[in-house]
Amino acid sequence: MMSRTSIFAAALLAVFASACSHAPVPAPVDLLHLSQDDRRLLAGVWEYEDGAVVTLTLDEQGHGAYAWKEGRFETTALSGRTWQGRWLQKENDREGGFLVELSTDYSEGDGRWWYTRIGSDRAPADKGGTFHLSRKATVTTLRENLPAP
């Protein structure tokens, strides 16, 4: 029979292993002092809504991963409030592009996505769809909204 110390150590190891298996959350970026074409505006955690909600964690280049079908999200351009890129899903062997029009404060946006490949088909008939993105609150955002002590 395991001792309480062994059970605690095993539980702690499981927590650390779980934490290490996820992509690190990028450090908060001061959005007020960036140019509108600086991809660091995209860094952080976003919620992608297209029927279901999927969490995206993006780095300072606007690249990141999502859990659905081992997905990757890659930014190819940010010009003003227009965000363009591509997505890839390893598990179901699909990829495509996306275009998002962001709000003036870069906290959310509406977009559309399309397929560029499904398996070996490089001209798929499936058209894609629309989605909504919203930035999850960051530590910086929360700190700015708290009342002074």
Side-chain angles (χ1 to χ4, degrees):
M1 184 174 262
M2 293 178 66
S3 70
R4 288 182 190 215
T5 304
S6 297
I7 293 171
F8 176 74
L12 194 57
L13 182 60
V15 168
F16 284 134
S18 173
C20 292
S21 69
H22 294 78
V25 175
V29 174
D30 182 1
L31 301 178
L32 298 175
H33 296 97
L34 298 178
S35 76
Q36 65 180 6
D37 297 336
D38 192 327
R39 289 186 185 184
R40 290 181 295 172
L41 288 167
L42 306 173
V45 180
W46 293 79
E47 287 185 338
Y48 172 99
E49 293 178 57
D50 179 4
V53 176
V54 175
T55 301
L56 303 170
T57 302
L58 303 179
D59 64 18
E60 290 188 352
Q61 291 300 309
H63 304 322
Y66 54 95
W68 176 255
K69 304 292 183 186
E70 297 179 63
R72 295 261 327 134
F73 207 75
E74 298 178 356
T75 297
T76 56
L78 177 64
S79 179
R81 294 185 297 129
T82 302
W83 178 7
Q84 297 176 43
R86 66 187 211 127
W87 55 271
L88 305 100
Q89 293 174 344
K90 183 177 179 181
E91 186 179 313
N92 63 359
D93 198 22
R94 297 171 186 219
E95 61 186 64
F98 69 88
L99 179 73
V100 179
E101 287 300 323
L102 293 164
S103 61
T104 56
D105 65 357
Y106 294 84
S107 67
E108 63 182 328
D110 290 309
R112 63 181 180 84
W113 63 271
W114 57 90
Y115 291 105
T116 56
R117 184 183 63 78
I118 298 176
S120 61
D121 183 358
R122 297 225 171 250
D126 291 338
K127 299 297 180 205
T130 60
F131 62 93
H132 181 80
L133 282 173
S134 56
R135 183 185 301 274
K136 291 183 81 171
T138 63
V139 174
T140 303
T141 305
L142 292 173
R143 199 175 307 137
E144 289 170 354
N145 293 323
L146 291 175

